[in-house]
Amino acid sequence: MVEISHYSKEVVNICRKIYNNQLVKQGEGNVSIRIPNQNAMIITPSENDYENLSEDNMIHMDFDGVVLQGKLKPSSEHIMHCYIYRKRPKVNCIIHTHSPNVSILSVLHNDLPVIFEEMAMLLGGSVKCSKFAQAGTEELPKVAIKAMKKQNTVILANHGLLVVGRTSEYCVKTAVIIEKMVNIFLNAKKIGDVKVISTDNQKKFIEIFDARYSTY
Ligand SMILES: [Zn+2]
């Protein structure tokens, strides 16, 4: 059996990657991974200290929100993480960031259209923006899942980005690519009309998404 500390280490690794890629500032966002066959996860603490990451600061919590082990207060978004793991058994990792460019899009309540083919493959189509819901409430995952539909990603209105996936590698890669794509999208919009890739041209890539990455 894999030790619980293995999963805490993995959460620390993910935190390091999203912090180094500037998708979160000190104290922002949250990350979790599912512990197989346990109805439980390892989640980051409230006000996560990215400058002093330690696996001992991570929290072992079940999907009812009960802390099984951990000395710090869990992220206030644990409600969202619990909700999604219960709703989507194929999800093994959840990353929530306040990525700078995605945050700009989130206050515009704008979707991110498919502007590169790789987006259709990785994201399964355009990334939708959810309705607004308060952080830390059960309303937030509800509006998030609703806007996400069959995909893995959603822009949380006036807030940031949420990515779920089968693996942590996918979630990190996807969070990084979305931030890059939103940057391209917002800059292109300043210059002129953004041309998006047609649904027809996305088809074969969305089939790959369904086979490889879908958690629906
Ligand atoms: Zn947040």
Side-chain angles (χ1 to χ4, degrees), residues 28-30 77 80 96-98 135 140 156 159-161:
E28 284 183 343
N30 32 76
E77 294 297 4
M80 175 166 74
H96 164 54
T97 69
H98 294 179
L140 185 60
L156 302 171
H159 192 157
L161 178 67

Side-chain angles (χ1 to χ4, degrees), residues 50 81 157 179 181 192 199 202:
Y50 293 94
H81 291 245
E179 175 60 8
M181 292 302 159
T199 340
Q202 290 181 39

Side-chain angles (χ1 to χ4, degrees), residues 118-119 122 172-182:
E118 64 182 300
M119 290 176 66
L122 204 60
V172 171
K173 184 180 175 189
T174 300
V176 170
I177 287 201
I178 289 177
E179 175 60 8
K180 179 187 155 189
M181 292 302 159
V182 177

Side-chain angles (χ1 to χ4, degrees), residues 7-19 23-24 28-34 41-46 48 50 53 58-59 74-75 77-78 80-81 85 92-97 162-163 168 171-172 175:
Y7 300 101
S8 303
K9 268 186 204 138
E10 197 178 336
V11 171
V12 166
N13 272 332
I14 301 165
C15 288
R16 196 165 286 133
K17 287 177 190 162
I18 62 171
Y19 188 62
L23 304 182
V24 284
E28 284 183 343
N30 32 76
V31 169
S32 71
I33 52 172
R34 181 194 291 272
M41 63 183 169
I42 298 291
I43 187 165
T44 45
S46 181
N48 195 17
Y50 293 94
L53 287 165
M58 302 303 144
I59 291 122
S75 164
E77 294 297 4
H78 69 266
M80 175 166 74
H81 291 245
Y85 285 122
N92 291 315
C93 178
I94 299 173
I95 297 180
H96 164 54
T97 69
L162 181 67
V163 177
S168 59
C171 291
V172 171

Side-chain angles (χ1 to χ4, degrees), residues 101-114:
N101 285 297
V102 177
S103 298
I104 295 172
L105 210 52
S106 85
V107 298
L108 296 167
H109 290 200
N110 248 60
D111 299 343
L112 171 66
V114 175

Side-chain angles (χ1 to χ4, degrees), residues 10-199:
E10 197 178 336
V11 171
V12 166
N13 272 332
I14 301 165
C15 288
R16 196 165 286 133
K17 287 177 190 162
I18 62 171
Y19 188 62
N20 290 345
N21 278 286
Q22 299 176 351
L23 304 182
V24 284
K25 299 253 186 260
Q26 180 73 325
E28 284 183 343
N30 32 76
V31 169
S32 71
I33 52 172
R34 181 194 291 272
I35 301 172
N37 315 312
Q38 261 211 17
N39 284 324
M41 63 183 169
I42 298 291
I43 187 165
T44 45
S46 181
E47 296 291 316
N48 195 17
D49 184 356
Y50 293 94
E51 295 284 351
N52 299 288
L53 287 165
S54 156
E55 55 183 277
D56 296 335
N57 291 344
M58 302 303 144
I59 291 122
H60 184 191
M61 176 187 264
D62 73 17
F63 295 156
D64 293 320
V66 176
V67 174
L68 305 172
Q69 204 187 342
K71 53 186 197 297
L72 299 179
K73 199 177 146 215
S75 164
S76 57
E77 294 297 4
H78 69 266
I79 296 164
M80 175 166 74
H81 291 245
C82 290
Y83 184 93
I84 293 170
Y85 285 122
R86 285 197 306 257
K87 283 268 174 205
R88 288 207 181 178
K90 285 184 196 160
V91 169
N92 291 315
C93 178
I94 299 173
I95 297 180
H96 164 54
T97 69
H98 294 179
S99 315
N101 285 297
V102 177
S103 298
I104 295 172
L105 210 52
S106 85
V107 298
L108 296 167
H109 290 200
N110 248 60
D111 299 343
L112 171 66
V114 175
I115 48 174
F116 278 68
E117 286 173 328
E118 64 182 300
M119 290 176 66
M121 191 168 82
L122 204 60
L123 312 174
S126 62
V127 182
K128 300 287 188 295
C129 182
S130 72
K131 282 196 172 145
F132 177 80
Q134 277 185 353
T137 64
E138 192 155 300
E139 190 59 19
L140 185 60
K142 280 184 184 161
V143 297
I145 288 273
K146 198 171 174 203
M148 199 185 270
K149 295 203 172 84
K150 295 182 175 179
Q151 292 167 243
N152 294 333
T153 51
V154 64
I155 296 161
L156 302 171
N158 303 82
H159 192 157
L161 178 67
L162 181 67
V163 177
V164 307
R166 297 184 193 178
T167 66
S168 59
E169 291 79 11
Y170 167 85
C171 291
V172 171
K173 184 180 175 189
T174 300
V176 170
I177 287 201
I178 289 177
E179 175 60 8
K180 179 187 155 189
M181 292 302 159
V182 177
N183 183 37
I184 294 170
F185 177 62
L186 290 174
N187 277 300
K189 254 170 66 134
K190 289 180 203 161
I191 303 168
D193 263 352
V194 175
K195 310 292 187 294
V196 303
I197 295 177
S198 71
T199 340

